[in-house]
Amino acid sequence: MNSQVQISEYNIELLFRKHYRYLCLIAMNYVHDKDIAEDLVQEFFIKYWEQHADRPDPDNFKSYAARATKNISIDFIRKRTVQQKREDWLPDLPEAFDPQKDQDDLDQRHARLVRIFELIDDLPQGQKQILKLHALEKLTYAQIAERQGISINTVRTQLTRAYRSLRKSATGLILLSLLKHL
């Protein structure tokens, strides 16, 4: 592992430890659910790490992180509200039936899922296990850490590495969009 990555991981971990609780409180003000707030803050740190690994400690990180956490929380609420509205009125709409299109869609989805599981099976055992717990069983980082007997930061690191590896192996963003909907 190169020293730049090690320095980056160390700096991100310091930022995480220093600001995690504060950012969870900000998210809680919007989502009113501790587990969701923790997931949103962890999502912020993963995105921040991926996008800012070369400059992990900005001059005004606390205000940047607070604003980003607020925006992530508001986006979460908006998406949940839209999803609830769709669920409320979509069942009343009649569906158009096209058996050929439906079969083609099923075949394509099946082929993608097979490829995704092949890529997941190629991951190192720790990354594979953590990814399955998070993506398939929908466990929070804290729940995974407790179940595996590791720290939340280790869960975050392993999950980030797994997604990074999958992105390198997969073509396009289809993989990530499918993983989020599994």
Side-chain angles (χ1 to χ4, degrees):
M1 183 179 283
N2 97 32
S3 62
Q4 178 65 23
V5 173
Q6 289 174 339
I7 292 170
S8 175
E9 287 178 17
Y10 177 75
N11 287 343
I12 293 290
E13 185 172 344
L14 287 177
L15 291 171
F16 182 85
R17 289 175 189 249
K18 184 176 180 181
H19 300 287
Y20 179 75
R21 285 188 177 157
Y22 170 71
L23 297 175
C24 284
L25 290 174
I26 290 172
M28 277 288 297
N29 284 332
Y30 294 93
V31 297
H32 308 291
D33 183 300
K34 180 181 178 258
D35 291 332
I36 293 172
E38 288 177 351
D39 284 347
L40 292 174
V41 171
Q42 291 165 1
E43 178 183 328
F44 159 75
F45 273 102
I46 288 171
K47 285 181 181 178
Y48 183 80
W49 185 12
E50 290 172 348
Q51 295 172 355
H52 300 89
D54 57 334
R55 47 185 166 85
D57 196 4
D59 296 335
N60 206 355
F61 178 81
K62 187 175 182 178
S63 63
Y64 171 81
R67 186 175 60 252
T69 300
K70 173 186 170 186
N71 291 339
I72 287 172
S73 300
I74 291 170
D75 285 346
F76 173 82
I77 292 168
R78 285 181 184 150
K79 287 176 186 174
R80 185 173 58 184
T81 302
V82 168
Q83 183 179 2
Q84 287 172 346
K85 285 180 182 178
R86 285 183 183 153
E87 289 172 1
D88 289 346
W89 62 268
L90 271 180
D92 297 335
L93 296 176
E95 288 190 29
F97 180 70
D98 181 357
Q100 182 60 40
K101 183 180 182 295
D102 290 346
Q103 185 60 44
D104 291 345
D105 290 346
L106 284 173
D107 291 343
Q108 288 176 353
R109 188 169 194 272
H110 177 64
R112 281 190 215 125
L113 286 173
V114 167
R115 179 67 181 137
I116 288 169
F117 284 110
E118 288 171 354
L119 292 172
I120 290 171
D121 282 340
D122 291 341
L123 291 172
Q125 185 60 33
Q127 291 177 16
K128 179 178 10 177
Q129 182 64 27
I130 290 172
L131 180 67
K132 285 181 178 180
L133 291 172
H134 185 69
L136 300 177
E137 294 185 30
K138 304 293 186 200
L139 296 180
T140 65
Y141 289 19
Q143 291 168 329
I144 295 169
E146 183 178 318
R147 185 181 282 187
Q148 297 294 318
I150 56 178
S151 73
I152 291 176
N153 287 332
T154 302
V155 171
R156 177 179 43 83
T157 300
Q158 292 295 328
L159 195 57
T160 300
R161 288 178 182 163
Y163 280 120
R164 186 179 303 137
S165 177
L166 291 174
R167 272 195 304 274
K168 287 179 185 175
S169 301
T171 56
L173 297 175
I174 295 171
L175 173 69
L176 290 179
S177 66
L178 284 175
L179 281 174
K180 290 180 180 178
H181 299 292
L182 286 177

